């Protein structure tokens, strides 16, 4: 089901994919894609692909500039419409991800998880999930992990359909894209 829906979705969104690739390549003065290793089901690593919404920019000391100074106008729009997630359909087609599941987080977080939080890796990571429709980046890490683990314990076809339909509504309303006062999710340090 994931493969079929992701393939159909990618084919339908292909014109947007091409246009966004060109726009972001121009805005970023280079690559339009962000590729990063992430942990998948059972901790198996894979490469997640997203549209790159921030340019590479550094200060005089070689330190990366803050997010708000690197986010391009095109990138801000792409992020606010969640179009930056389109390339992840490729990961679903490849079998590394599912349409629904806990979001694939950074590799550096894996050693910080509690035993309960590690349960999120019992299923494939998803483009959207229970935590995304219940607050996304506007909720605490603790709440995200609780939602992820709840999803793992209650996974069902009906729940996945509910999450997919609710995601469409949330995307159109642009809800929960970022936390209060930040452009991206707050970094997880094992306690927050």
């Amino acid at each position: 089901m994931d493969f079929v829906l992701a393939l159909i979705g990618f084919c339908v969104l292909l014109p947007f994919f091409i246009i966004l690739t060109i726009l972001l390549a121009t805005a970023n003065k280079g690559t339009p894609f962000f590729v990063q290793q992430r942990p998948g089901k059972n901790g198996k690593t894979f490469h997640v692909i997203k549209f790159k919404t921030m340019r590479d920019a550094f200060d005089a000391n070689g330190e990366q500039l803050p997010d708000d100074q690197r986010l391009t106008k095109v990138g801000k729009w792409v992020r606010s419409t969640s179009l930056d997630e389109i390339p992840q359909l490729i990961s679903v087609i490849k079998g590394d991800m599912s349409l629904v599941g806990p979001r694939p987080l950074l590799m550096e977080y894996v050693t910080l998880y509690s035993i309960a939080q590690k349960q999120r890796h019992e299923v494939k990571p998803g483009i959207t999930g229970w935590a995304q429709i219940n607050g996304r980046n506007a909720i605490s890490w603790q709440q995200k992990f609780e939602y992820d683990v709840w999803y793992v314990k209650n996974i069902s076809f009906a729940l996945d359909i509910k999450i997919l339909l609710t995601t469409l509504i949330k995307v159109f309303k642009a809800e929960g894209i970022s936390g209060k006062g930040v452009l991206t999710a707050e970094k997880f340090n094992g306690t927050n």
Side-chain angles (χ1 to χ4, degrees), residues 121-178:
H121 292 291
E122 292 177 9
V123 298
K124 285 183 185 179
I127 294 176
T128 187
W130 191 240
Q132 280 59 51
I133 66 165
N134 284 291
R136 200 171 170 181
N137 290 326
I139 58 175
S140 71
W141 278 108
Q142 184 63 35
Q143 288 173 305
K144 286 180 194 179
F145 288 126
E146 287 173 7
Y147 284 134
D148 287 345
V149 172
W150 183 90
Y151 172 79
V152 170
K153 292 180 177 179
N154 294 278
I155 191 169
S156 71
F157 180 73
L159 180 59
D160 283 1
I161 295 300
K162 176 181 179 176
I163 291 169
L164 287 170
L165 293 175
T166 306
T167 297
L168 292 174
I169 295 166
K170 297 277 185 180
V171 166
F172 284 115
K173 290 183 176 181
E175 290 180 359
I177 293 166
S178 58

